[in-house]
Amino acid sequence: MAITQRSYSIPGGDYQKVKQFFRENFAPFAANGVWKEERWEYMHVIKWFEYRFHFRIGLWEEDGRIVAVTTYENEPGKVFLFTAAGYEHLRPELLRYAEEMLPCTMEDGRKFLRVEAYSFDPAFQEFLRAHGYAEQSRYDYKAYDFAKGIPEPRLPADFELLALDSVPETDYKRVNDSIWQGFNHQGEGDLESFLSVAHVPDFRKDLTYTVRAANGDYCLRRGRITK
């Protein structure tokens, strides 16, 4: 069956189709560079996602099944190329599409494109180098193997670990502020963004944890407290 390419359409019902693609193709610890489906879901509710460009996301299908995706996460300029196993030969086409449809424009008018690659996929890295790309920065993704079991948390006295479904909604703002400041941001977090994430279909309040002090304050790393 011939492989066809088309644009992504949220109103057209493609959100679930792409989510299914990630569900079927994710390898443990993202070892093949494919996102978990939760990241696709999260992408659509964060405040930085540029919906107005969503039609620029590219889909490749074979017999009605998605086999490759070229997408941005927040906005064009930084892209990810995903293929199902056995469809890696589509990478040149995915890259050409990204260069045409998903670059950002810099202040001086030049086009810029950053393609994310993973250290455990040297073939993809070599592919990018062969097409004129060079490594600019790197950072490590952390993953924990739950097959090892979950260590029992040990907290200082007067602190408790709580699942979000045990936290009153009137405290959500303080919980969100602790998350925001925990990433070294200043001031208050965006409560609407927190609520939008908390209401996506796959969000699990019982698997989302925070730490609360005996006086009711929510805790940050490095010993800071959010009032």
Side-chain angles (χ1 to χ4, degrees):
M1 189 76 178
I3 296 174
T4 58
Q5 189 278 319
R6 64 181 178 85
S7 295
Y8 174 63
S9 172
I10 296 175
D14 286 334
Y15 168 79
Q16 289 292 346
K17 294 178 182 178
V18 178
K19 189 175 180 182
Q20 184 67 28
F21 165 84
F22 287 118
R23 180 179 300 173
E24 293 174 351
N25 291 284
F26 174 77
F29 308 110
N32 60 353
V34 175
W35 285 350
K36 284 182 65 65
E37 62 182 280
E38 289 84 357
R39 186 166 177 179
W40 177 253
E41 184 173 71
Y42 176 73
M43 174 185 113
H44 283 73
V45 296
I46 55 176
K47 64 181 293 184
W48 302 279
F49 179 57
E50 288 280 10
Y51 274 95
R52 60 192 172 126
F53 297 120
H54 83 274
F55 69 95
R56 292 183 179 272
I57 295 172
L59 307 180
W60 282 255
E61 294 178 314
E62 184 178 51
D63 196 22
R65 180 175 66 93
I66 295 175
V67 296
V69 179
T70 294
T71 185
Y72 61 93
E73 186 172 26
N74 297 340
E75 59 187 0
K78 176 182 175 181
V79 301
F80 301 80
L81 312 184
F82 302 112
T83 62
Y87 292 86
E88 294 82 2
H89 62 280
L90 293 175
R91 284 174 171 173
E93 185 176 344
L94 269 62
L95 183 60
R96 286 194 298 271
Y97 179 90
E99 291 174 339
E100 178 182 355
M101 299 296 292
L102 291 171
C104 64
T105 303
M106 303 174 68
E107 291 184 359
D108 60 6
R110 291 183 299 164
K111 299 291 185 179
F112 173 83
L113 185 71
R114 174 179 174 179
V115 183
E116 290 288 294
Y118 295 90
S119 60
F120 43 70
D121 192 350
F124 185 49
Q125 291 181 322
E126 186 57 36
F127 162 76
L128 291 175
R129 293 190 188 97
H131 285 78
Y133 288 80
E135 182 178 311
Q136 296 295 315
S137 61
R138 65 171 57 193
Y139 57 91
D140 295 325
Y141 282 100
K142 303 297 184 182
Y144 180 79
D145 185 356
F146 285 101
K148 299 177 181 178
I150 302 176
E152 187 69 26
R154 296 181 179 180
L155 299 177
D158 298 326
F159 292 89
E160 60 178 336
L161 184 67
L162 294 174
L164 190 61
D165 59 359
S166 299
V167 175
E169 292 189 9
T170 52
D171 282 359
Y172 280 5
K173 181 182 185 306
R174 291 193 292 158
V175 172
N176 183 55
D177 287 345
S178 72
I179 297 171
W180 178 255
Q181 296 168 24
F183 280 95
N184 290 328
H185 301 309
Q186 299 300 312
E188 299 179 348
D190 182 348
L191 181 59
E192 291 302 316
S193 293
F194 175 83
L195 294 175
S196 67
V197 172
H199 286 86
V200 297
D202 291 336
F203 184 81
R204 293 277 301 274
K205 291 183 180 180
D206 60 320
L207 297 179
T208 304
Y209 287 86
T210 185
V211 175
R212 186 171 64 191
N215 65 355
D217 292 337
Y218 291 90
C219 307
L220 306 177
R221 61 192 180 96
R222 301 197 183 104
R224 293 175 289 175
I225 302 292
T226 182
K227 299 290 185 180

